[in-house]
Amino acid sequence: MYKHVITIIAILTTAIGSVQAADPAVTTSTNDPMVMKIYPDGTKVVVRWSEIGKAVDNGDKHGGSPRIIAYDPGKEGIVPIGQTPSAQPASEPVSSRLPTSSSVVAPESTKSIEATPAPMSDTDNYGPEEGFVLRSAVGASFQQPLSGRSGSGRTYNNFVFQPGIRFDLEPGYNVTDWFRAGLESSFIYNQLHSLSTIDWDTPDNRSVMLYNGSSEIGNGAFYQVPVLANVTFTYPTDGPIRGYLGGGTGAAWDILQVSSGGGGPYTSYHWNFVWEVTAGFTYNVMPGLDLDIAYKLLSTPNPNFDGQGHYQASFNHTAEIGLAYRF
């Protein structure tokens, strides 16, 4: 009897060892079992439970997110890579034991998806392309000399100005990502540097050069307040930098002033027709906010100052920097 018991125990021990050696894929820790991920296109992937969520799933390659179920090797017939398949019954066809193209078992990718910068048309990165915009800017203003006849036309004046300053405020609307219409209002100030006059009513055609701050002329300045209807054409790109060209027409309230002098204070003002051209570029610093750098040429073709005479065309050059807010 004792020998029979020993023999039975030996047979059971051998059988258990054979089963464990034949199918190691199934003998897993109960704390980390094997599970199956089934994708919408039919692809099946066998992984351990602990591997779920540790890597990028890449479900977009298989039609979407997978459905996770318990893994039954006897039912599915899919063996994880690197493990030996268990013996199948002799009566089962060989083809049924092989993984199909839609039942590929592979480890999940550990590579993360690299973020690719979106083009300029992506409103999440650069802000809205169409809609209202508010532009404000400040820059250095360079006014060319203002020359012409005053009074009865027998006196010739030539005003020379120092570099000044210009402020812009322009609400507008981006009709498309390349075309904008706006209304610009500006304030331009240039201090007088000198004034030279020739008086043909004197016997010797007397010529005088007066400088700003002197007792003869005192302090003088030239103020311009243009109001312009503008259009802007932007070259659309896939990056944050964009170039543009623009222009507009309107009117300017021009004031030419001298505080004191031999003839007393002098102020002449008048509305004049003006036109403007603009060239520049913008750089997107954050969604909806652009840094704007521009050059502007403002021209007054036929400046007239309160009936005091007519002057040659006036040109003002400005280099400015500003911000554009897109809503």
Side-chain angles (χ1 to χ4, degrees):
M1 182 64 181
Y2 175 77
K3 292 181 179 181
H4 291 292
V5 173
I6 295 299
T7 301
I8 293 172
I9 293 176
I11 292 172
L12 292 175
T13 303
T14 303
I16 292 172
S18 299
V19 172
Q20 292 179 343
D23 197 1
V26 184
T27 309
T28 58
S29 171
T30 57
N31 295 328
D32 192 13
M34 303 296 287
V35 295
M36 178 179 292
K37 300 166 69 174
I38 303 177
Y39 292 89
D41 65 354
T43 301
K44 300 176 181 179
V45 178
V46 176
V47 296
R48 292 190 180 275
W49 177 258
S50 61
E51 296 177 6
I52 300 296
K54 288 187 176 180
V56 177
D57 186 73
N58 293 330
D60 54 343
K61 297 180 180 178
H62 304 295
S65 302
R67 180 168 54 92
I68 301 175
I69 64 172
Y71 170 57
D72 185 352
K75 178 180 178 181
E76 302 294 339
I78 302 174
V79 180
I81 289 178
Q83 297 183 3
T84 304
S86 58
Q88 299 291 331
S91 60
E92 185 178 357
V94 176
S95 60
S96 65
R97 302 198 303 268
L98 298 177
T100 63
S101 59
S102 62
S103 302
V104 178
V105 180
E108 290 190 279
S109 173
T110 58
K111 295 182 179 179
S112 61
I113 300 174
E114 297 181 358
T116 303
M120 190 68 178
S121 60
D122 188 347
T123 58
D124 292 337
N125 287 340
Y126 297 101
E129 293 296 327
E130 301 175 3
F132 290 100
V133 60
L134 178 62
R135 180 184 181 275
S136 59
V138 61
S141 168
F142 302 90
Q143 176 66 40
Q144 290 188 347
L146 188 63
S147 303
R149 300 175 184 271
S150 64
S152 62
R154 300 290 297 171
T155 302
Y156 176 82
N157 297 322
N158 183 55
F159 294 89
V160 178
F161 302 95
Q162 297 179 2
I165 192 168
R166 171 172 175 162
F167 298 96
D168 287 349
L169 185 63
E170 180 184 2
Y173 188 86
N174 286 325
V175 181
T176 68
D177 61 347
W178 57 269
F179 176 74
R180 181 176 78 226
L183 182 66
E184 179 184 73
S185 178
S186 305
F187 174 79
I188 307 172
Y189 168 80
N190 291 93
Q191 189 176 38
L192 181 66
H193 174 268
S194 62
L195 168 63
S196 60
T197 64
I198 300 176
D199 189 353
W200 281 290
D201 288 332
T202 59
D204 56 352
N205 295 330
R206 184 167 60 97
S207 176
V208 178
M209 173 67 76
L210 305 174
Y211 291 94
N212 189 61
S214 64
S215 58
E216 294 88 354
I217 193 175
N219 295 316
F222 185 31
Y223 303 89
Q224 300 178 78
V225 185
V227 179
L228 303 162
N230 288 342
V231 293
T232 303
F233 301 91
T234 301
Y235 181 75
T237 65
D238 291 337
I241 300 178
R242 286 184 160 190
Y244 67 87
L245 294 173
T249 60
W253 181 248
D254 294 332
I255 301 174
L256 184 60
Q257 185 179 58
V258 177
S259 62
S260 65
Y266 169 80
T267 299
S268 181
Y269 45 86
H270 203 274
W271 280 102
N272 290 298
F273 170 77
V274 293
W275 59 264
E276 182 179 78
V277 293
T278 303
F281 67 91
T282 61
Y283 177 80
N284 183 255
V285 294
M286 62 181 297
L289 178 62
D290 299 327
L291 178 67
D292 192 319
I293 298 178
Y295 161 77
K296 291 189 174 183
L297 171 63
L298 179 70
S299 173
T300 307
N302 187 26
N304 183 19
F305 295 95
D306 197 24
Q308 298 297 321
H310 295 277
Y311 290 81
Q312 298 177 5
S314 166
F315 295 95
N316 183 276
H317 307 268
T318 302
E320 62 184 20
I321 184 171
L323 294 173
Y325 307 87
R326 289 179 279 114
F327 302 97

